[in-house]
Each structure stands twice: as structure tokens, then as C-alpha cells.
Amino acid sequence: MRFTSTQDYIASDELQIAVNAAVTLQRPLLVKGEPGTGKTELARQVSASLGLPMIEWSIKSTTRAQQGLYEYDAVSRLRDSQLGDERVNDVKNYIRKGKLWQAFEAEQRVVLLIDEIDKADIEFPNDLLQELDRMEFFVYETGETIRATHRPIVIITSNNEKDLPDAFLRRCFFHYIRFPDTETLKAIVEVHFPGIKPALLTAALTQFSELRETPGLKKKPSTSEVLDWLKLLLAEDLSAEDLKRDGQNALPKLHGALLKNEQDVHLFERLAFMARRQGR
């Protein structure tokens, strides 16, 4: 059982090694990288590559670790008891299984994605230490211990918005997805847009690279954004010649797919203004 690139996802050698190492060690794989570099999609492709079902737990700022295990609905039980409902005699009727519980009791091994763990409270990772390490947890309302029938492959993503606790990091295998080099980026584009004209691809990626490397850029465009941009270029049937810029406008065509805040747009407008002044 080894992960490799798929028809829909180009994984670097380092990323393939990281996934397979985490599987071998039976440790969660913690994946960091710029937003839009394919961290979430990695879990889906690991699932597809290994032929395993996937369970996805998307983390929000209000998410609590307990929700991943189970939640006891005491309010519903109280209401049913007032109505004389016989369901109140079995507390299990009021326990909602979380994503970890679902992964632990699955009939076969699954891929469990804990997506954007850094969105939650700083204590969230610590609250899952024992459960992810021992692959079991205790249900106080029923007095039972839930153990993983098949140890899931756990993939945890983070956009690095906040530091994670050392005790949590110690239990993970870590990998940082670097922005792909030019050749890898071309291979990724070919997966999504097979047969794209080489001249257009070269011109677009050259312009994209220059944009990413512009000093002072607040948010560098990511892999997903260059794919969106190329999709628009193809939809508008633009050629490599159409992408050429003059001193009047430093902004690339359809730049809204690449630049996502007004500071970066103003930066390129200032660069165009300075170029015009120097050209006088």
C-alpha cells in the first residue's frame, strides 16, 4: 500500500515519501503550505490512490475537539422524557458520533482528513493527543471504550495561521508543500488542461512567475489561482501575444484571478506609473 501521483494530482517525490512514511509509522501526517497548494486535495488523492474511503472533518474557529469524538444531546433527552418518549431509556439514542468515531468503527481502513486544524482554538490539538495516539477514547455516558477497528490514515492540514503545540507536533510526521518549480507546474497544468498551446503556457507561466516574485506583494498567488487564471485565458481564447503588457499597464489580463487584495493591485498600478515616468 504505497501512495504515488495520480492522473489528477502531481505529487513531488518528497511528498510521496512523506505520505508513505506516515503510513508506515502509523502517525498522523501534518501538511503545511501556502493556501491553494493542494493540501486538502492531497487527502482525497491518497484516498483514491490507495482505494480507501475518506472521512473529512473541516475545522472552524468554533470547532471543539469533543465534536470529533461524540456529542451528547441532553436537551433532546430531557424534552423526550417530558413527552414520555420511550427512547429516553437508552442513552445511546442521544449520542451523535463524530468523525473520529466514524473512522474508528469503519468496516475497513479509511483516510481521515482533519482540515485546517490551525483555525481552531490553540488547545484543540492538545485535546486530541491521546485519541490520535492510542486510537481510542472513552464514552462517559455509556461507559464504553471506542477503539479503532482499523487504524485510519490521518492527514492534518494547516495554513500556518498559528503555531501548534510541541506535544502535538511530536506525534506527527511533518511535510511542508513548497510551491512547485516550473517543470512541476507545467505538469500540473497539463493534468488540468491537456493539449494547452505551448506558447500560451510559456507566456502565462513566465508572467505568473514574474508576478509572484514582485517585491512587496502582500499575497502571492497559489497553484489553484494560476489554474483558475489559465482556465479564464482559455475561455477567452487568448493567445501568447494577447498576454503581452506595455508600460501603460503592469497588471496582467484578468488579474482578478491572481491578485486578491487592493494593496497588490495598487502595487502594480504604481509600477506602471513609475515605468511611464522613466520612459519619458
Side-chain angles (χ1 to χ4, degrees):
M1 184 178 287
R2 294 188 65 79
F3 168 69
T4 59
S5 293
T6 68
Q7 291 183 341
D8 302 320
Y9 191 88
I10 303 297
S12 66
D13 292 342
E14 292 81 4
L15 181 54
Q16 293 179 46
I17 291 170
V19 171
N20 292 316
V23 172
T24 300
L25 292 172
Q26 296 188 337
R27 295 278 191 183
L29 173 64
L30 174 61
V31 183
K32 291 187 178 182
E34 296 178 28
T37 51
K39 299 184 297 297
T40 301
E41 185 61 24
L42 170 65
R44 301 188 180 114
Q45 294 303 323
V46 170
S47 169
S49 175
L50 301 182
L52 301 176
M54 192 180 91
I55 294 175
E56 184 171 346
W57 186 17
S58 298
I59 307 303
K60 301 177 181 179
S61 59
T62 56
T63 303
R64 295 176 293 106
Q66 181 64 32
Q67 293 172 317
L69 306 179
Y70 70 93
E71 290 185 280
Y72 171 53
D73 191 352
V75 175
S76 292
R77 193 181 189 194
L78 175 61
R79 183 189 64 237
D80 288 349
S81 68
Q82 293 170 340
L83 296 174
D85 194 322
E86 293 184 358
R87 296 175 72 249
V88 299
N89 297 321
D90 188 352
V91 69
K92 291 182 179 180
N93 291 325
Y94 302 93
I95 290 180
R96 298 182 210 158
K97 298 176 182 179
K99 299 296 184 179
L100 265 72
W101 190 329
Q102 295 172 30
F104 286 4
E105 72 172 6
E107 294 182 357
Q108 66 178 105
R109 196 176 197 185
V110 302
V111 175
L112 172 62
L113 169 64
I114 303 177
D115 201 23
E116 298 189 333
I117 194 172
D118 52 326
K119 280 187 175 180
D121 184 84
I122 189 62
E123 292 303 320
F124 180 92
N126 280 335
D127 291 342
L128 290 177
L129 282 180
Q130 298 301 320
E131 289 78 7
L132 290 176
D133 198 24
R134 298 180 181 177
M135 286 291 158
E136 65 178 38
F137 62 89
F138 186 72
V139 182
Y140 293 95
E141 288 77 8
T142 64
E144 61 182 329
T145 298
I146 305 300
R147 295 185 177 88
T149 306
H150 306 281
R151 193 179 185 98
I153 296 172
V154 181
I155 297 178
I156 303 171
T157 71
S158 169
N159 287 326
N160 231 5
E161 292 182 5
K162 62 170 68 84
D163 292 334
L164 299 174
D166 289 344
F168 179 80
L169 295 175
R170 184 175 63 80
R171 289 167 168 80
C172 298
F173 190 93
F174 172 76
H175 182 76
Y176 183 87
I177 298 182
R178 294 182 177 85
F179 189 81
D181 58 32
T182 302
E183 292 306 312
T184 304
L185 194 55
K186 285 182 178 179
I188 293 172
V189 171
E190 185 63 31
V191 165
H192 292 269
F193 307 110
I196 187 171
K197 294 178 181 179
L200 174 61
L201 178 59
T202 299
L205 292 187
T206 298
Q207 196 169 119
F208 174 73
S209 297
E210 291 173 353
L211 187 150
R212 263 188 65 90
E213 294 168 5
T214 302
L217 204 62
K218 183 177 181 180
K219 183 197 176 301
K220 295 182 178 182
S222 65
T223 310
S224 64
E225 287 159 337
V226 72
L227 292 175
D228 286 345
W229 185 51
L230 286 168
K231 184 177 182 179
L232 289 174
L233 297 182
L234 292 171
E236 295 294 325
D237 197 23
L238 298 180
S239 66
E241 189 69 24
D242 294 326
L243 295 186
K244 288 185 177 179
R245 294 175 292 180
D246 53 35
Q248 299 298 314
N249 189 3
L251 286 167
K253 292 186 182 298
L254 301 167
H255 63 268
L258 300 174
L259 302 176
K260 300 301 177 71
N261 58 69
E262 63 277 14
Q263 294 97 320
D264 289 342
V265 173
H266 291 160
L267 171 64
F268 279 87
E269 290 174 343
R270 289 196 299 273
L271 291 174
F273 175 74
M274 293 171 61
R276 289 196 297 269
R277 290 190 62 181
Q278 292 174 357
R280 290 177 180 174

